[in-house]
């Protein structure tokens, strides 16, 4: 049974740190955030999204049409990085999927929980009371 009052899911896996490429490989403007997610610098576009579309067979132009904040050149660099570090990136993607699944399970358990709903309602009532 999931503890619906937990701040985060139990046994939450850690996202592996990716060996992000340096200038010798061709700079890909990727940054790995504190939570482990990898994004294109200066955007909220995730590296994961680009890789998943690439794995589905989308062209760089099609990917760029979905994520126009990232240039075609940067998408090509990101795909080249994925191809050169496939094992590490796939390990990262699998961990990210497990983390997402753990959060989905917690959210679904909360949605089904009468105790959680009562807790939320009590919190709403307390916030409306004057101090």
């Amino acid at each position: 049974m999931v503890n619906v009052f937990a701040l985060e899911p139990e046994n939450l896996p850690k996202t592996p740190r990716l060996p992000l490429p340096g200038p010798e490989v061709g700079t890909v403007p990727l940054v790995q955030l504190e939570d482990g997610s990898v994004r294109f610098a200066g955007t909220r576009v995730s590296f994961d999204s680009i890789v998943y579309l690439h794995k589905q067979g989308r062209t760089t132009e099609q990917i760029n049409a979905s994520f126009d904040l990232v240039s075609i050149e940067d998408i090509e660099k990101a795909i080249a990085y994925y191809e050169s570090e496939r094992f590490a990136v796939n390990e990262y993607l699998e961990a990210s999927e497990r983390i997402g699944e753990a959060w989905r399970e917690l959210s679904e358990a909360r949605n089904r929980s009468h105790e959680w709903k009562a807790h939320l309602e009590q919190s709403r009532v307390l916030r409306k009371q004057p101090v």
Side-chain angles (χ1 to χ4, degrees):
M1 183 169 172
V2 176
N3 176 3
V4 296
F5 295 102
L7 294 177
E8 64 181 38
E10 295 173 12
N11 302 320
L12 191 64
K14 297 288 183 208
T15 304
R17 302 303 294 177
L18 281 178
L20 296 178
E24 67 282 353
V25 179
T27 304
V28 182
L30 297 174
V31 293
Q32 190 156 20
L33 304 179
E34 194 174 303
D35 69 357
S37 63
V38 177
R39 306 218 179 270
F40 283 83
T43 75
R44 294 182 65 183
V45 177
S46 72
F47 174 60
D48 308 29
S49 300
I50 304 302
V51 172
Y52 286 126
L53 291 175
H54 170 68
K55 287 172 134 185
Q56 291 173 359
R58 306 274 177 88
T59 66
T60 52
E61 291 78 12
Q62 290 170 325
I63 295 170
N64 177 253
S66 297
F67 298 101
D68 60 353
L69 291 174
V70 182
S71 70
I72 289 176
E73 180 183 359
D74 287 343
I75 292 169
E76 289 171 345
K77 288 178 184 178
I79 291 170
Y81 167 66
Y82 165 69
E83 296 294 342
S84 70
E85 295 288 341
R86 190 178 289 238
F87 180 79
V89 173
N90 283 335
E91 191 174 79
Y92 157 80
L93 293 173
E94 289 169 11
S96 294
E97 287 175 14
R98 287 192 307 274
I99 291 167
E101 183 58 33
W103 280 105
R104 276 187 292 284
E105 286 176 12
L106 178 59
S107 177
E108 289 170 5
R110 285 178 173 169
N111 287 336
R112 290 187 306 267
S113 169
H114 298 294
E115 293 89 3
W116 179 253
K117 290 176 184 173
H119 169 75
L120 290 179
E121 185 56 35
Q122 181 181 12
S123 296
R124 285 186 197 109
V125 168
L126 290 175
R127 279 194 306 253
K128 290 181 180 180
Q129 291 180 353
V131 179

